[in-house]
Protein backbone atom coordinates (compact mmCIF):
# COMPACT_ATOMS: atom_id res chain seq x y z
CA UNK A 1 0.00 0.00 0.00
CA UNK A 2 2.79 2.40 0.91
CA UNK A 3 4.58 1.51 -2.33
CA UNK A 4 1.45 2.29 -4.32
CA UNK A 5 1.03 5.62 -2.51
CA UNK A 6 4.66 6.50 -3.21
CA UNK A 7 4.13 5.66 -6.90
CA UNK A 8 1.08 7.94 -7.11
CA UNK A 9 2.92 10.77 -5.36
CA UNK A 10 5.94 10.47 -7.65
CA UNK A 11 3.67 10.36 -10.70
CA UNK A 12 1.86 13.54 -9.63
CA UNK A 13 5.15 15.27 -8.88
CA UNK A 14 6.52 14.25 -12.26
CA UNK A 15 3.43 15.59 -14.04
CA UNK A 16 3.72 18.84 -12.09
CA UNK A 17 7.37 19.02 -13.13
CA UNK A 18 6.46 18.55 -16.79
CA UNK A 19 3.77 21.22 -16.61
CA UNK A 20 6.12 23.66 -14.87
CA UNK A 21 8.91 22.91 -17.34
CA UNK A 22 6.54 23.58 -20.27
CA UNK A 23 5.40 26.84 -18.68
CA UNK A 24 9.00 27.84 -17.93
CA UNK A 25 10.08 27.17 -21.51
CA UNK A 26 7.29 29.34 -22.86
CA UNK A 27 8.50 32.20 -20.67
CA UNK A 28 11.89 31.97 -22.38
CA UNK A 29 10.30 32.01 -25.84
CA UNK A 30 8.84 35.51 -25.53
CA UNK A 31 9.95 38.21 -27.96
CA UNK A 32 10.62 41.64 -26.46
CA UNK A 33 11.77 44.91 -28.00
CA UNK A 34 14.31 46.75 -25.86
CA UNK A 35 14.55 49.74 -28.18
CA UNK A 36 14.57 50.95 -31.77
CA UNK A 37 16.24 53.79 -33.66
CA UNK A 38 14.81 55.31 -36.84
CA UNK A 39 17.11 57.08 -39.28
CA UNK A 40 16.89 60.73 -40.15
CA UNK A 41 19.17 61.76 -43.05
CA UNK A 42 20.93 65.13 -43.06
CA UNK A 43 19.00 68.27 -44.01
CA UNK A 44 20.92 68.67 -47.29
CA UNK A 45 18.95 65.68 -48.62
CA UNK A 46 15.50 67.19 -48.09
CA UNK A 47 13.12 67.33 -51.04
CA UNK A 48 11.52 70.75 -50.98
CA UNK A 49 9.19 72.01 -53.70
CA UNK A 50 11.81 73.75 -55.82
CA UNK A 51 14.28 70.89 -55.54
CA UNK A 52 11.57 68.45 -56.67
CA UNK A 53 10.89 70.75 -59.60
CA UNK A 54 14.55 70.73 -60.58
CA UNK A 55 14.74 66.93 -60.36
CA UNK A 56 11.64 66.56 -62.55
CA UNK A 57 12.98 69.17 -64.96
CA UNK A 58 16.18 67.16 -65.44
CA UNK A 59 14.19 64.25 -66.86
CA UNK A 60 14.18 64.94 -70.60
CA UNK A 61 11.93 61.96 -71.22
CA UNK A 62 8.90 63.68 -69.73
CA UNK A 63 6.37 65.63 -71.80
CA UNK A 64 3.53 67.98 -70.92
CA UNK A 65 1.08 65.17 -70.13
CA UNK A 66 3.59 63.48 -67.82
CA UNK A 67 4.23 66.77 -66.00
CA UNK A 68 0.49 67.20 -65.43
CA UNK A 69 0.22 63.63 -64.19
CA UNK A 70 3.15 64.12 -61.80
CA UNK A 71 1.70 67.35 -60.45
CA UNK A 72 -1.61 65.65 -59.69
CA UNK A 73 0.15 62.65 -58.14
CA UNK A 74 2.41 64.72 -55.88
CA UNK A 75 -0.37 67.03 -54.72
CA UNK A 76 -2.65 64.11 -53.79
CA UNK A 77 0.09 61.86 -52.38
CA UNK A 78 0.04 63.16 -48.81
CA UNK A 79 3.84 63.63 -48.90
CA UNK A 80 5.22 66.92 -47.58
CA UNK A 81 8.39 68.95 -48.16
CA UNK A 82 10.55 67.49 -45.39
CA UNK A 83 11.20 64.02 -46.87
CA UNK A 84 14.63 62.78 -47.95
CA UNK A 85 16.17 61.53 -51.20
CA UNK A 86 19.39 59.58 -51.88
CA UNK A 87 22.56 61.62 -52.38
CA UNK A 88 22.97 60.67 -56.04
CA UNK A 89 19.52 62.17 -56.75
CA UNK A 90 20.34 65.34 -54.86
CA UNK A 91 23.62 65.60 -56.79
CA UNK A 92 21.90 65.06 -60.16
CA UNK A 93 23.29 61.59 -60.88
CA UNK A 94 20.05 59.59 -60.75
CA UNK A 95 20.20 58.61 -64.45
CA UNK A 96 23.48 56.69 -64.07
CA UNK A 97 23.66 55.34 -60.52
CA UNK A 98 26.61 53.21 -59.43
CA UNK A 99 26.77 50.23 -57.10
CA UNK A 100 28.62 52.40 -54.59
CA UNK A 101 25.71 54.87 -54.55
CA UNK A 102 23.42 52.14 -53.23
CA UNK A 103 25.98 50.71 -50.80
CA UNK A 104 26.93 54.13 -49.43
CA UNK A 105 23.26 55.01 -48.93
CA UNK A 106 22.75 51.87 -46.84
CA UNK A 107 26.01 52.14 -44.89
CA UNK A 108 25.27 55.73 -43.94
CA UNK A 109 22.03 54.52 -42.38
CA UNK A 110 23.52 51.37 -40.82
CA UNK A 111 26.33 53.06 -38.97
CA UNK A 112 24.21 55.97 -37.77
CA UNK A 113 21.16 54.10 -36.45
CA UNK A 114 22.82 50.90 -35.20
CA UNK A 115 25.49 52.90 -33.38
CA UNK A 116 22.92 55.11 -31.68
CA UNK A 117 20.71 52.16 -30.74
CA UNK A 118 23.46 50.06 -29.18
CA UNK A 119 24.89 53.05 -27.31
CA UNK A 120 21.47 54.00 -25.96
CA UNK A 121 20.81 50.43 -24.76
CA UNK A 122 24.32 49.89 -23.39
CA UNK A 123 24.78 46.78 -25.54
CA UNK A 124 28.09 45.80 -27.13
CA UNK A 125 28.06 44.56 -30.75
CA UNK A 126 29.75 41.37 -29.50
CA UNK A 127 26.61 40.58 -27.47
CA UNK A 128 24.40 40.29 -30.57
CA UNK A 129 23.48 36.66 -31.25
CA UNK A 130 21.18 37.10 -34.27
CA UNK A 131 21.33 39.67 -37.08
CA UNK A 132 18.56 40.01 -39.67
CA UNK A 133 18.91 42.62 -42.43
CA UNK A 134 16.33 43.37 -45.10
CA UNK A 135 16.95 45.60 -48.12
CA UNK A 136 14.66 44.57 -50.95
CA UNK A 137 15.91 46.23 -54.13
CA UNK A 138 19.69 45.98 -53.74
CA UNK A 139 21.87 42.97 -53.06
CA UNK A 140 25.64 43.29 -52.66
CA UNK A 141 28.53 40.87 -52.23
CA UNK A 142 29.54 40.63 -49.42
CA UNK A 143 26.00 41.01 -48.14
CA UNK A 144 24.82 43.97 -46.05
CA UNK A 145 24.69 41.65 -43.04
CA UNK A 146 28.39 40.86 -43.59
CA UNK A 147 29.23 44.55 -43.90
CA UNK A 148 27.57 45.27 -40.55
CA UNK A 149 29.35 42.33 -38.91
CA UNK A 150 32.69 43.54 -40.26
CA UNK A 151 32.15 47.16 -39.24
CA UNK A 152 31.14 46.30 -35.66
CA UNK A 153 33.46 43.26 -35.35
CA UNK A 154 30.65 40.97 -34.21
CA UNK A 155 31.17 37.39 -33.03
CA UNK A 156 32.06 34.60 -35.43
CA UNK A 157 29.16 32.44 -34.25
CA UNK A 158 26.50 35.11 -34.92
CA UNK A 159 23.45 33.87 -36.83
CA UNK A 160 23.11 36.26 -39.79
CA UNK A 161 20.25 36.50 -42.29
CA UNK A 162 20.20 38.83 -45.30
CA UNK A 163 16.81 39.27 -47.03
CA UNK A 164 16.19 40.85 -50.43
CA UNK A 165 13.18 41.13 -52.73
CA UNK A 166 10.64 40.98 -49.88
CA UNK A 167 9.14 44.44 -50.44
CA UNK A 168 7.62 46.89 -47.99
CA UNK A 169 6.44 44.07 -45.72
CA UNK A 170 9.96 42.73 -45.10
CA UNK A 171 10.20 44.22 -41.62
CA UNK A 172 7.61 41.84 -40.18
CA UNK A 173 9.08 38.93 -42.14
CA UNK A 174 12.42 39.63 -40.45
CA UNK A 175 10.61 39.80 -37.13
CA UNK A 176 9.05 36.38 -37.80
CA UNK A 177 12.52 34.89 -38.32
CA UNK A 178 13.69 36.27 -34.98
CA UNK A 179 10.53 35.10 -33.21
CA UNK A 180 11.07 31.53 -34.45
CA UNK A 181 14.74 31.54 -33.41
CA UNK A 182 13.72 32.69 -29.93
CA UNK A 183 11.44 29.65 -29.63
CA UNK A 184 14.40 27.25 -29.73
CA UNK A 185 17.23 29.31 -28.21
CA UNK A 186 17.25 31.00 -24.80
CA UNK A 187 18.80 34.26 -23.60
CA UNK A 188 19.54 35.80 -27.01
CA UNK A 189 19.93 39.32 -28.37
CA UNK A 190 18.73 39.98 -31.91
CA UNK A 191 19.30 43.01 -34.12
CA UNK A 192 16.77 43.70 -36.89
CA UNK A 193 17.89 46.20 -39.55
CA UNK A 194 15.27 47.29 -42.09
CA UNK A 195 15.59 49.76 -44.97
CA UNK A 196 15.37 50.21 -48.75
CA UNK A 197 17.91 51.38 -51.31
CA UNK A 198 16.52 54.08 -53.61
CA UNK A 199 19.80 55.18 -55.23
CA UNK A 200 19.78 52.64 -58.09
CA UNK A 201 15.98 52.60 -58.35
CA UNK A 202 15.06 56.22 -59.04
CA UNK A 203 13.10 55.98 -62.27
CA UNK A 204 14.13 58.33 -65.10
CA UNK A 205 11.64 57.25 -67.76
CA UNK A 206 8.11 58.33 -68.66
CA UNK A 207 5.93 55.27 -67.85
CA UNK A 208 3.19 56.57 -65.53
CA UNK A 209 2.93 53.30 -63.65
CA UNK A 210 6.62 53.62 -62.79
CA UNK A 211 7.16 57.35 -62.20
CA UNK A 212 4.50 57.19 -59.48
CA UNK A 213 7.01 55.42 -57.21
CA UNK A 214 9.24 58.53 -57.31
CA UNK A 215 6.40 60.51 -55.73
CA UNK A 216 6.03 58.17 -52.75
CA UNK A 217 9.27 56.38 -51.84
CA UNK A 218 11.81 58.20 -49.68
CA UNK A 219 15.08 57.39 -47.88
CA UNK A 220 14.91 55.99 -44.36
CA UNK A 221 15.50 52.95 -42.19
CA UNK A 222 15.30 51.56 -38.68
CA UNK A 223 17.34 49.34 -36.34
CA UNK A 224 15.50 47.34 -33.66
CA UNK A 225 17.01 45.49 -30.68
CA UNK A 226 15.09 42.43 -29.47
CA UNK A 227 15.62 39.79 -26.81
CA UNK A 228 14.01 36.79 -25.12
CA UNK A 229 16.03 37.18 -21.91
CA UNK A 230 13.62 36.84 -19.02
CA UNK A 231 15.82 39.04 -16.82
CA UNK A 232 15.45 41.96 -19.26
CA UNK A 233 11.66 41.92 -19.28
CA UNK A 234 11.51 44.99 -16.94
CA UNK A 235 13.54 46.97 -19.51
CA UNK A 236 11.43 45.94 -22.50
CA UNK A 237 9.11 48.45 -24.16
CA UNK A 238 7.07 46.05 -26.30
CA UNK A 239 6.14 42.37 -26.20
CA UNK A 240 5.10 40.46 -29.32
CA UNK A 241 1.68 38.82 -28.88
CA UNK A 242 1.11 37.32 -32.34
CA UNK A 243 2.21 37.63 -35.98
CA UNK A 244 0.24 36.64 -39.09
CA UNK A 245 1.64 36.39 -42.62
CA UNK A 246 -0.49 36.15 -45.78
CA UNK A 247 1.06 35.44 -49.20
CA UNK A 248 -0.86 35.62 -52.51
CA UNK A 249 2.11 34.90 -54.76
CA UNK A 250 0.29 31.96 -56.34
CA UNK A 251 -2.26 34.37 -57.87
CA UNK A 252 -0.87 35.83 -61.09
CA UNK A 253 -2.65 39.19 -60.83
CA UNK A 254 -1.41 39.70 -57.27
CA UNK A 255 2.09 38.49 -58.18
CA UNK A 256 2.38 40.97 -61.08
CA UNK A 257 0.79 44.06 -59.47
CA UNK A 258 4.04 45.59 -58.21
CA UNK A 259 7.58 44.69 -59.15
CA UNK A 260 10.99 46.00 -60.02
CA UNK A 261 11.45 46.00 -63.80
CA UNK A 262 12.80 47.80 -66.84
CA UNK A 263 10.57 49.78 -69.19
CA UNK A 264 10.64 49.36 -72.98
CA UNK A 265 13.72 51.59 -73.19
CA UNK A 266 15.59 49.57 -70.56
CA UNK A 267 15.25 52.11 -67.74
CA UNK A 268 15.02 50.44 -64.33
CA UNK A 269 12.21 51.37 -61.95
CA UNK A 270 9.44 50.11 -59.71
CA UNK A 271 6.15 49.23 -61.43
CA UNK A 272 2.79 49.78 -59.71
CA UNK A 273 -0.19 48.26 -61.56
CA UNK A 274 -3.76 49.58 -61.57
CA UNK A 275 -5.02 46.39 -59.92
CA UNK A 276 -2.75 46.90 -56.89
CA UNK A 277 -5.57 48.16 -54.60
CA UNK A 278 -7.68 45.10 -55.45
CA UNK A 279 -4.79 42.72 -54.74
CA UNK A 280 -4.03 44.50 -51.48
CA UNK A 281 -7.67 44.29 -50.39
CA UNK A 282 -7.86 40.54 -50.98
CA UNK A 283 -4.63 39.91 -49.07
CA UNK A 284 -5.80 42.21 -46.26
CA UNK A 285 -9.13 40.38 -45.89
CA UNK A 286 -7.45 36.96 -45.78
CA UNK A 287 -4.97 38.23 -43.21
CA UNK A 288 -7.76 39.59 -41.01
CA UNK A 289 -9.55 36.23 -41.06
CA UNK A 290 -6.57 34.62 -39.35
CA UNK A 291 -5.68 37.61 -37.18
CA UNK A 292 -9.13 38.36 -35.74
CA UNK A 293 -9.45 35.35 -33.38
CA UNK A 294 -5.96 36.10 -32.06
CA UNK A 295 -6.53 39.74 -31.13
CA UNK A 296 -10.25 40.22 -30.47
CA UNK A 297 -12.09 39.38 -27.22
CA UNK A 298 -14.58 36.52 -27.15
CA UNK A 299 -17.56 38.86 -26.76
CA UNK A 300 -16.72 40.61 -30.04
CA UNK A 301 -16.34 37.31 -31.89
CA UNK A 302 -19.70 36.14 -30.53
CA UNK A 303 -21.34 39.41 -31.55
CA UNK A 304 -19.91 39.01 -35.04
CA UNK A 305 -21.21 35.44 -35.32
CA UNK A 306 -24.71 36.44 -34.23
CA UNK A 307 -24.84 39.48 -36.52
CA UNK A 308 -23.51 37.44 -39.46
CA UNK A 309 -26.09 34.72 -38.87
CA UNK A 310 -28.96 37.21 -38.73
CA UNK A 311 -27.71 38.97 -41.86
CA UNK A 312 -27.40 35.66 -43.73
CA UNK A 313 -30.93 34.65 -42.79
CA UNK A 314 -32.24 38.03 -43.96
CA UNK A 315 -30.38 37.71 -47.27
CA UNK A 316 -31.80 34.21 -47.82
CA UNK A 317 -35.31 35.43 -47.07
CA UNK A 318 -34.86 38.47 -49.34
CA UNK A 319 -33.41 36.34 -52.13
CA UNK A 320 -36.30 33.87 -51.90
CA UNK A 321 -38.87 36.67 -51.92
CA UNK A 322 -37.32 38.48 -54.88
CA UNK A 323 -36.53 35.31 -56.79
CA UNK A 324 -32.85 36.19 -57.11
CA UNK A 325 -29.71 37.04 -55.20
CA UNK A 326 -28.83 40.21 -53.39
CA UNK A 327 -25.43 41.80 -53.08
CA UNK A 328 -23.95 43.37 -49.99
CA UNK A 329 -21.07 45.76 -49.59
CA UNK A 330 -17.86 44.23 -48.24
CA UNK A 331 -15.84 47.41 -48.00
CA UNK A 332 -16.14 47.68 -44.23
CA UNK A 333 -15.18 44.97 -41.76
CA UNK A 334 -18.11 43.80 -39.60
CA UNK A 335 -15.65 43.31 -36.71
CA UNK A 336 -14.83 46.12 -34.30
CA UNK A 337 -11.06 45.88 -33.94
CA UNK A 338 -11.02 48.65 -31.37
CA UNK A 339 -12.35 46.14 -28.85
CA UNK A 340 -8.96 44.42 -28.92
CA UNK A 341 -6.58 47.12 -30.12
CA UNK A 342 -5.86 50.64 -28.84
CA UNK A 343 -3.42 51.84 -31.52
CA UNK A 344 -3.09 51.12 -35.25
CA UNK A 345 0.35 51.28 -36.84
CA UNK A 346 -0.29 51.32 -40.60
CA UNK A 347 2.13 51.08 -43.49
CA UNK A 348 2.54 54.49 -45.17
CA UNK A 349 2.12 53.12 -48.68
CA UNK A 350 0.29 56.30 -49.72
CA UNK A 351 -2.73 58.39 -48.81
CA UNK A 352 -5.08 55.98 -50.59
CA UNK A 353 -3.64 52.99 -48.71
CA UNK A 354 -4.06 54.67 -45.31
CA UNK A 355 -7.59 55.86 -46.12
CA UNK A 356 -8.53 52.42 -47.45
CA UNK A 357 -7.42 50.60 -44.31
CA UNK A 358 -9.11 53.26 -42.19
CA UNK A 359 -12.41 52.74 -44.01
CA UNK A 360 -12.13 48.93 -43.82
CA UNK A 361 -11.50 48.93 -40.06
CA UNK A 362 -13.80 51.89 -39.36
CA UNK A 363 -10.97 53.94 -37.85
CA UNK A 364 -11.31 57.59 -36.84
CA UNK A 365 -9.02 60.50 -37.73
CA UNK A 366 -7.12 60.10 -34.46
CA UNK A 367 -6.37 56.45 -35.30
CA UNK A 368 -5.04 57.38 -38.75
CA UNK A 369 -3.12 60.46 -37.62
CA UNK A 370 0.22 58.68 -36.91
CA UNK A 371 0.34 57.10 -40.39
CA UNK A 372 -0.78 60.29 -42.16
CA UNK A 373 1.75 62.45 -40.31
CA UNK A 374 4.53 59.95 -40.98
CA UNK A 375 3.71 59.91 -44.69
CA UNK A 376 3.74 63.72 -44.71
CA UNK A 377 7.04 64.06 -42.80
CA UNK A 378 9.08 61.06 -44.01
CA UNK A 379 7.17 59.67 -47.01
CA UNK A 380 6.98 55.94 -47.75
CA UNK A 381 10.23 54.55 -46.35
CA UNK A 382 9.24 51.04 -47.43
CA UNK A 383 9.73 48.28 -44.82
CA UNK A 384 10.89 50.72 -42.13
CA UNK A 385 7.78 52.93 -42.32
CA UNK A 386 5.97 51.07 -39.52
CA UNK A 387 8.64 52.11 -37.03
CA UNK A 388 8.38 55.81 -37.95
CA UNK A 389 4.63 55.52 -37.30
CA UNK A 390 5.33 53.84 -33.96
CA UNK A 391 7.82 56.61 -33.20
CA UNK A 392 5.13 59.23 -33.79
CA UNK A 393 2.81 57.53 -31.31
CA UNK A 394 5.60 57.35 -28.76
CA UNK A 395 6.67 60.95 -29.25
CA UNK A 396 3.06 62.02 -28.72
CA UNK A 397 3.06 59.97 -25.47
CA UNK A 398 0.10 57.89 -26.60
CA UNK A 399 1.61 54.49 -25.76
CA UNK A 400 0.80 53.54 -22.18
CA UNK A 401 1.53 50.33 -20.29
CA UNK A 402 -0.93 47.59 -21.21
CA UNK A 403 -1.95 49.17 -24.55
CA UNK A 404 -2.03 46.96 -27.65
CA UNK A 405 -0.56 48.11 -30.97
CA UNK A 406 -1.55 46.49 -34.27
CA UNK A 407 0.96 46.75 -37.14
CA UNK A 408 -0.25 46.17 -40.71
CA UNK A 409 2.03 46.15 -43.75
CA UNK A 410 1.84 45.25 -47.44
CA UNK A 411 4.57 44.14 -49.81
CA UNK A 412 5.30 42.96 -53.34
CA UNK A 413 4.61 39.33 -54.02
CA UNK A 414 1.78 40.08 -52.99
CA UNK A 415 1.91 39.97 -49.19
CA UNK A 416 0.01 41.31 -46.20
CA UNK A 417 1.68 40.85 -42.81
CA UNK A 418 0.44 41.97 -39.42
CA UNK A 419 1.41 41.65 -35.76
CA UNK A 420 0.14 42.69 -32.33
CA UNK A 421 2.33 44.23 -29.62
CA UNK A 422 1.67 44.80 -25.94
CA UNK A 423 3.19 47.97 -24.45
CA UNK A 424 5.28 46.97 -21.42
CA UNK A 425 5.83 50.46 -20.00
CA UNK A 426 4.83 54.05 -20.75
CA UNK A 427 6.80 55.07 -23.85
CA UNK A 428 7.95 58.68 -24.24
CA UNK A 429 11.14 58.67 -26.39
CA UNK A 430 10.86 61.24 -29.20
CA UNK A 431 13.32 59.40 -31.49
CA UNK A 432 13.58 61.04 -34.95
CA UNK A 433 10.49 63.16 -34.21
CA UNK A 434 12.29 65.17 -31.53
CA UNK A 435 12.75 68.40 -33.52
CA UNK A 436 9.33 68.50 -35.17
CA UNK A 437 6.79 66.56 -33.11
CA UNK A 438 5.37 69.72 -31.52
CA UNK A 439 4.50 70.99 -35.03
CA UNK A 440 2.32 67.95 -35.75
CA UNK A 441 -0.40 67.61 -36.74
CA UNK A 442 -0.20 70.85 -38.80
CA UNK A 443 -3.30 72.86 -39.63
CA UNK A 444 -3.13 71.60 -43.20
CA UNK A 445 -1.36 68.71 -44.92
CA UNK A 446 -1.48 70.53 -48.23
CA UNK A 447 1.78 71.15 -50.05
CA UNK A 448 2.72 74.14 -52.23
CA UNK A 449 3.23 72.14 -55.42
CA UNK A 450 -0.07 73.22 -56.96
CA UNK A 451 0.52 76.85 -56.06
CA UNK A 452 4.06 76.69 -57.48
CA UNK A 453 3.43 74.60 -60.60
CA UNK A 454 -0.32 74.77 -61.16
CA UNK A 455 0.24 76.89 -64.27
CA UNK A 456 1.21 73.66 -66.10
CA UNK A 457 -2.48 72.67 -66.18
CA UNK A 458 -3.24 75.80 -68.23
CA UNK A 459 -0.82 74.82 -71.00
CA UNK A 460 -2.67 73.08 -73.83
CA UNK A 461 -0.18 72.91 -76.70
CA UNK A 462 2.72 70.51 -75.98
CA UNK A 463 4.74 72.00 -78.85
CA UNK A 464 4.93 75.38 -77.13
CA UNK A 465 5.56 74.04 -73.65
CA UNK A 466 8.91 74.84 -72.12
CA UNK A 467 10.01 74.07 -68.56
CA UNK A 468 11.28 77.20 -66.73
CA UNK A 469 15.05 77.61 -66.99
CA UNK A 470 15.49 78.19 -63.24
CA UNK A 471 14.21 74.65 -62.60
CA UNK A 472 16.39 72.92 -65.18
Amino acid sequence: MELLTTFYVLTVLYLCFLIWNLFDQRRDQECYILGYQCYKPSDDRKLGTDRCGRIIGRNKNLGLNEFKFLLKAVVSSGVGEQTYAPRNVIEGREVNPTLNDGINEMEEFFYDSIGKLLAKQGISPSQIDVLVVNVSMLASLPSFACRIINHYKMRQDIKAFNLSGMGCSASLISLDIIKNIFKSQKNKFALLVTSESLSPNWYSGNERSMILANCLFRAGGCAILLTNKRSLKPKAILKLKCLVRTHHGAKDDAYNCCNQKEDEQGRLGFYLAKNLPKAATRAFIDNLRVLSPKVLPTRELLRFMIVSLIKRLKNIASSTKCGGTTSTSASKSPLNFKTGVEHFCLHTGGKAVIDGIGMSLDLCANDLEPARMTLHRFGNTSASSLWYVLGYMEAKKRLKKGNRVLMISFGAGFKCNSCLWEVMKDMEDRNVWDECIDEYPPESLGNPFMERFGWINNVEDPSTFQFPEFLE
Side-chain angles (χ1 to χ4, degrees), residues 295-297 299-300 335-342 344 404:
V295 303
L296 296 179
R299 66 180 185 276
E300 175 60 21
L335 290 166
N336 182 7
F337 274 81
K338 290 187 180 183
T339 60
V341 179
E342 283 78 27
F344 296 84
R404 290 151 298 182

Side-chain angles (χ1 to χ4, degrees), residues 266-329:
R267 294 181 287 255
L268 185 66
F270 193 68
Y271 169 78
L272 301 173
K274 292 182 179 180
N275 68 318
L276 175 58
K278 183 178 180 180
T281 300
R282 288 204 307 260
F284 184 44
I285 291 173
D286 286 349
N287 188 272
L288 289 183
R289 287 196 182 104
V290 181
L291 179 71
S292 301
K294 298 176 182 291
V295 303
L296 296 179
T298 303
R299 66 180 185 276
E300 175 60 21
L301 296 175
L302 288 174
R303 185 198 66 81
F304 166 69
M305 291 174 62
I306 294 172
V307 171
S308 298
L309 179 60
I310 294 174
K311 185 180 294 185
R312 182 173 297 180
L313 291 174
K314 286 183 177 180
N315 287 341
I316 292 174
S318 177
S319 177
T320 303
K321 184 177 181 180
C322 298
T325 59
T326 60
S327 62
T328 58
S329 174

Side-chain angles (χ1 to χ4, degrees), residues 58 60 65 100 127 134 140 193 212 237 246 325 346 360 367-368 377 394 424 460 467 471:
R58 289 200 300 259
K60 304 304 180 182
N65 292 332
N100 279 338
Q127 293 178 264
N134 64 257
S140 70
V193 183
L212 184 60
I237 58 175
T246 302
T325 59
L346 310 179
S360 297
D367 296 323
L368 300 179
R377 175 62 182 84
E394 183 176 5
M424 302 298 289
E460 298 181 357
F467 213 69
L471 291 176

Side-chain angles (χ1 to χ4, degrees), residues 200-239:
N201 293 287
W202 195 273
Y203 182 60
S204 299
N206 58 1
E207 291 286 339
R208 293 191 180 188
S209 56
M210 297 176 73
I211 59 179
L212 184 60
N214 290 355
C215 302
L216 295 172
F217 286 97
R218 296 292 184 266
C222 185
I224 305 107
L225 181 65
L226 305 101
T227 188
N228 62 346
K229 288 177 178 281
R230 193 187 310 175
S231 61
L232 294 179
K233 180 179 178 180
K235 294 184 178 181
I237 58 175
L238 294 167
K239 174 184 176 181

Side-chain angles (χ1 to χ4, degrees), residues 31 74 119 138 213 246 266 376 389:
C31 182
V74 172
L138 178 64
T246 302
H376 184 267
V389 179

Side-chain angles (χ1 to χ4, degrees), residues 58-188:
R58 289 200 300 259
N59 188 349
K60 304 304 180 182
N61 298 306
L62 300 180
L64 177 59
N65 292 332
E66 286 76 24
F67 284 127
K68 289 182 177 180
F69 171 77
L70 271 173
L71 177 62
K72 181 180 179 181
V74 172
V75 169
S76 61
S77 67
V79 177
E81 290 194 289
Q82 303 294 308
T83 60
Y84 304 92
R87 290 195 180 279
N88 68 316
V89 176
I90 298 298
E91 296 170 2
R93 297 184 292 104
E94 66 272 14
V95 177
N96 298 301
T98 65
L99 176 61
N100 279 338
D101 285 329
I103 293 175
N104 291 338
E105 179 190 4
M106 290 297 94
E107 289 186 339
E108 188 174 352
F109 148 61
F110 292 155
Y111 306 149
D112 176 88
S113 295
I114 295 175
K116 289 179 179 178
L117 175 64
L118 296 181
K120 187 184 297 184
Q121 298 299 321
I123 300 296
S124 167
S126 62
Q127 293 178 264
I128 302 299
D129 303 287
V130 181
L131 172 65
V132 183
V133 182
N134 64 257
V135 178
S136 288
M137 294 195 292
L138 178 64
S140 70
L141 190 67
S143 69
F144 287 123
C146 291
R147 294 174 189 275
I148 292 172
I149 292 170
N150 177 262
H151 180 82
Y152 288 101
K153 308 305 177 188
M154 294 177 172
R155 300 201 316 267
Q156 63 180 8
D157 63 342
I158 188 172
K159 302 297 184 293
F161 301 83
N162 196 94
L163 308 184
S164 64
M166 303 305 289
C168 297
S169 200
S171 183
L172 298 191
I173 297 173
S174 300
L175 177 64
D176 194 31
I177 292 175
I178 293 172
K179 181 196 73 170
N180 288 316
I181 291 175
F182 282 176
K183 285 183 178 181
S184 60
Q185 301 183 33
K186 297 181 180 181
N187 300 318
K188 300 298 180 182

